[in-house]
């Protein structure tokens, strides 16, 4: 998979990322085993950008 520079950070990441908010309680009950399978498969496929939500006082609302 190709990689690109993330902004001015110098970090090189794949252009396809994995959003993980659905792996929490945000959309119902969390399934840890299923989430781990998805994370492992994403890494196998070359995903290097894993977007996790930031907990705030509004729970899982990203800033």
């Amino acid at each position: 998979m190709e990689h690109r520079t993330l902004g001015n950070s110098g970090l090189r990441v794949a252009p396809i990322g994995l959003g993980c908010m659905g792996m929490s309680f945000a959309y119902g009950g969390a399934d840890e085993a299923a989430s781990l399978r998805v994370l492992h498969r994403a890494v196998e496929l070359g995903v290097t950008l894993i977007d996790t939500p930031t907990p705030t006082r509004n729970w899982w609302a990203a800033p």
Side-chain angles (χ1 to χ4, degrees):
M1 184 177 295
E2 71 177 274
H3 284 76
R4 300 177 183 165
T5 302
L6 181 63
N8 295 324
S9 69
L11 296 173
R12 304 278 297 159
V13 296
I16 298 173
L18 175 65
C20 297
M21 187 168 173
M23 294 179 185
S24 68
F25 64 88
Y27 300 115
D31 183 337
E32 185 175 349
S35 297
L36 287 172
R37 286 193 301 274
V38 169
L39 287 165
H40 285 245
R41 184 65 177 141
V43 170
E44 287 174 7
L45 293 171
V47 172
T48 55
L49 178 62
I50 299 176
D51 181 15
T52 59
T54 303
T56 66
R57 62 184 171 87
N58 295 324
W59 292 100
W60 289 96

